[in-house]
Amino acid sequence: MASLVDRLRGHGRIAVGLLFNLLVSICIVFLNKWIYVHHGFPNMSLTLVHFVVTWLGLYICQKLDIFAPKSLPPSRVFLLALSFCGFVVFTNLSLQNNTIGTYQLAKAMTTPVIIAIQTFCYQKTFSTRIQLTLIPITLGVILNSYYDVKFNFLGMVFAALGVLVTSLYQVWVGAKQHELQVNSMQLLYYQAPMSSAMLLVAVPFFEPVFGEGGIFGPWSVSALLMVLLSGVIAFMVNLSIYWIIGNTSPVTNEVIGWVP
């Protein structure tokens, strides 16, 4: 009886985590699109804000003893931090250059790519039922891309790169948590500042830093508040992604992630 109660409690926690991730994922998609359209805030700079706010949020959490940091070798986290940069930058560029519908549907291709990576690189097997679901997903994305009245070649390139890097990132998150024996907060706490440093070096080469359109440009108070809110929601999205993958699998995270 006790074991049944524990199982139900565990399933309940996972259901709440999935629902929370779904809600904050919907919020950040529409909020980021609104920031791009109405304020023209630069993409990589917005991503940098997301990373910094995520690290600050985790710093506050560890000061409140919500989790205990664990020292990790930088070389073991470097590729994960790099893929984190690519994951957020390319998905934001896809959102910036595509309609929300096309952006969201293109994300559905992450599920087949994750399954392919885990099958060929990690020798993981999936049931025939799961494999058959990939057919309508793939056909739907191809048909939408072909007949989209607002077809944007550059947008589709960013979407494809976003799918590939996101898939690698999601698989590596689960693998690293298992390999390094850390929980979601411990891994993200170590990786977020590393990703922030990478992006801090890259931003000046691709976007203005000062003046009109720069991260330290003359933005209105409303724009800055929206960017800060986007950073807070990004912290929630990132934390819930790590938690879901650590407690379920990358495929589960992607299935719930592209529902909106």
Side-chain angles (χ1 to χ4, degrees), residues 202-236:
V203 163
F205 292 97
F206 297 95
E207 296 174 353
V209 177
F210 301 99
E212 193 70 31
I215 187 172
F216 296 114
W219 299 103
S220 65
V221 173
S222 63
L224 293 176
L225 287 175
M226 289 298 101
V227 169
L228 180 59
L229 177 60
S230 177
V232 172
I233 297 176
F235 164 62
M236 299 178 188

Side-chain angles (χ1 to χ4, degrees), residues 162-192:
V163 165
L164 178 60
V165 178
T166 299
S167 301
L168 287 170
Y169 171 71
Q170 304 255 5
V171 171
W172 287 344
V173 165
K176 287 297 179 183
Q177 287 190 54
H178 177 73
E179 174 190 331
L180 300 172
Q181 291 298 294
V182 291
N183 62 33
S184 55
M185 284 187 160
Q186 288 171 327
L187 184 57
L188 190 55
Y189 179 76
Y190 199 92
Q191 178 240 300

Side-chain angles (χ1 to χ4, degrees), residues 22-61:
L22 176 61
L23 293 176
V24 292
S25 295
I26 293 172
C27 287
I28 201 165
V29 166
F30 284 95
L31 180 57
N32 284 356
K33 188 68 175 180
W34 193 88
I35 290 172
Y36 293 141
V37 171
H38 294 280
H39 294 293
F41 201 85
N43 172 269
M44 291 182 71
S45 297
L46 182 62
T47 304
L48 177 58
V49 171
H50 289 178
F51 289 173
V52 172
V53 172
T54 295
W55 181 78
L56 288 175
L58 287 166
Y59 179 78
I60 293 171
C61 286

